[in-house]
Every structure is written in C-alpha cells, then in structure tokens.
Amino acid sequence: MVTQSLLWQSQQQSSDFAELCNALYERELITLARNECLALASLQGRIKSLPHYVKRTAFALLKAQTPLELDIQNASWLAKQVARSPEISQLSAYDETVIAWYKSQQLVHGLVVPIALNGHVFLDCIDRIDLEKQRFRTNVYGWFYLTDNETVSAATNRVKNEGDRASEADIEAESKAESEVTRQKVNLLKPTKKVMSAACAGHRWKDGQKLQPIMPSLRELLLSCTINWRNFKQPRVN
C-alpha cells in the first residue's frame, strides 16, 4: 500500500524532474541557436539526441550524492564562490601539489578531473592511460603528462616530434581538440572539494576578481553526478 508520504515524495520528484528537463531544454536550445558553426546535419543530430541527454541529466541530478545544493529552476549546482580562484595556490607549487597527487594513485578510466582554463575550472574525465609515457588523456582536453606542467598543445607537438607510436587518428584527434579550445592557460588541477565545487557551480575569476558564474554544459553536469566526494581517487559506483 502506498502511503501518503511516499505518494507526496513521488509527486515532488516528478515535479522536480519536469522542471529540470524544462530548464535544460531551454538552455540547450538557446546554445544550439547561437552556434553558427554547426552544419545542418550536425544540428539535426544534436536536436534528435537532446531528449535522451536532457532526461538522463535530469535524472542524474536528482540522484546525485553530493554536498552541493541543487537549483531545480535553473538545473545547476549552488556553492559559495571563494574570493580567489583555487587554481592559484595549486599552480604555484604544481609538481608538489598536482603532479604528486596524480602520481600517488592508480589512475582509472572514467575518473573525473578538474581542468583550469582562463580563470574557469571545467570538469573532464580520463579516457586513456599511458603508463609507459607517464601521461593520460582526458575526453575533451587531450593529453596531460605527469612529468611536467605541459599543456595539451605542447603535448600534441611532443607526440609529433618524438615520432612515437601514436596513430594518425590519435594525432588528428589531439589537433582537433587543440583547435577547439584556447590553449593559453590550460592546466590540470588536483581534485579537492573547493576545486570540484567551483567546477560544478560554474565559478570563474578574472584578474583576481569574481565573475558571474556560468552554466556548465550537459556533459559537465553528467560528470558532476559521477564525482565520488568521499574519495576523489575513484569514480562513484552507482
């Protein structure tokens, strides 16, 4: 027998789910409408797949195990923004802070990692690990070496210049990723509660000043729901 409290919870979840879907649809359609570079076939494909990803993201947001507060109306995470970008302290001691953290663990596929780019922290995930060359690749930002603070652009040139066993497909993919993102200030960060909260909530800074947060992409929202807040070294197991 369904109790009144369970029925109310079900109705509330259904209402929250619908509101999240509406917010996500509105945001993604505006993003697509403003993208003048998309070919017609690509645009049609993204619109066709949009219902699946919107529903998947809304469901994941409701089920996420996170210390952050969920803004149902805007389909976003809320967190207090600190005065200074958390990347500053990490990059001032990059080898001891960031590189040492990644070297101290056994990297796994699917691990969510923070990436700093022009005063904004983004979420990405590991999709390839190369132990021999002490590097790993993230889905969007490409290769990062654990030997120094090397940007993706430098890593791409390194692959080409070393003449290693990377396939033409690997090089092409890295070059494509490089062309899509400004590489001036791309840095890998160590995942901490402060850093991951900033990434999930879209916090950003410029010249030491806080800027208005921006909405993370659907992909980043999905990644935010897989963060293991109790152990950043492992993806969350559902």
Side-chain angles (χ1 to χ4, degrees), residues 47-67:
I47 292 177
K48 183 178 180 180
S49 64
L50 194 56
H52 166 75
Y53 286 106
V54 163
K55 292 176 183 178
R56 180 182 171 189
T57 303
F59 181 79
L61 289 171
L62 289 175
K63 297 297 182 182
Q65 299 175 17
T66 172

Side-chain angles (χ1 to χ4, degrees), residues 58-116:
F59 181 79
L61 289 171
L62 289 175
K63 297 297 182 182
Q65 299 175 17
T66 172
L68 305 179
E69 179 184 351
L70 178 61
D71 181 351
I72 299 292
Q73 292 184 333
N74 294 305
S76 60
W77 296 114
L78 298 177
K80 183 178 180 180
Q81 184 171 358
V82 296
R84 298 170 71 247
S85 173
E87 70 177 287
I88 296 175
S89 59
Q90 291 199 12
L91 297 182
S92 63
Y94 185 83
D95 289 343
E96 297 82 3
T97 303
V98 181
I99 293 297
W101 188 87
Y102 284 96
K103 281 186 173 182
S104 68
Q105 62 167 304
Q106 183 177 354
L107 297 175
V108 293
H109 293 94
L111 182 68
V112 180
V113 297
I115 308 292

Side-chain angles (χ1 to χ4, degrees), residues 33-231:
R34 290 175 176 173
N35 193 331
E36 300 178 355
C37 300
L38 280 178
L40 178 59
S42 179
L43 178 60
Q44 291 174 330
R46 292 182 64 171
I47 292 177
K48 183 178 180 180
S49 64
L50 194 56
H52 166 75
Y53 286 106
V54 163
K55 292 176 183 178
R56 180 182 171 189
T57 303
F59 181 79
L61 289 171
L62 289 175
K63 297 297 182 182
Q65 299 175 17
T66 172
L68 305 179
E69 179 184 351
L70 178 61
D71 181 351
I72 299 292
Q73 292 184 333
N74 294 305
S76 60
W77 296 114
L78 298 177
K80 183 178 180 180
Q81 184 171 358
V82 296
R84 298 170 71 247
S85 173
E87 70 177 287
I88 296 175
S89 59
Q90 291 199 12
L91 297 182
S92 63
Y94 185 83
D95 289 343
E96 297 82 3
T97 303
V98 181
I99 293 297
W101 188 87
Y102 284 96
K103 281 186 173 182
S104 68
Q105 62 167 304
Q106 183 177 354
L107 297 175
V108 293
H109 293 94
L111 182 68
V112 180
V113 297
I115 308 292
L117 171 61
N118 297 330
H120 187 173
V121 184
F122 295 89
L123 294 178
D124 206 349
C125 65
I126 296 176
D127 66 8
R128 185 171 172 182
I129 301 168
D130 186 346
L131 296 177
E132 181 181 353
K133 296 190 184 326
Q134 296 188 64
R135 62 179 185 169
F136 63 83
R137 188 179 70 186
T138 63
N139 189 255
V140 172
Y141 293 94
W143 289 103
F144 288 93
Y145 284 78
L146 300 182
T147 51
D148 54 29
N149 186 9
E150 189 169 40
T151 65
V152 183
S153 176
T156 302
N157 292 330
R158 182 173 179 174
V159 169
K160 295 176 182 178
N161 295 334
E162 286 179 352
D164 63 11
R165 300 186 185 89
S167 66
E168 293 182 3
D170 286 337
I171 295 176
E172 182 180 355
E174 290 165 22
S175 298
K176 182 179 180 181
E178 178 184 353
S179 66
E180 292 175 349
V181 181
T182 302
R183 296 302 178 183
Q184 296 178 349
K185 298 180 181 179
V186 178
N187 291 288
L188 180 68
L189 296 180
K190 170 187 174 180
T192 64
K193 184 176 181 180
K194 184 183 294 186
V195 168
M196 300 302 259
S197 296
C200 291
H203 294 166
R204 56 194 181 125
W205 297 260
K206 183 177 182 181
D207 299 328
Q209 301 295 320
K210 293 188 290 186
L211 298 179
Q212 184 73 21
I214 64 173
M215 297 294 184
S217 64
L218 271 182
R219 179 180 175 279
E220 286 185 279
L221 285 175
L222 278 172
L223 287 177
S224 72
C225 298
T226 67
I227 296 173
N228 186 342
W229 291 88
R230 293 184 176 182
N231 182 8

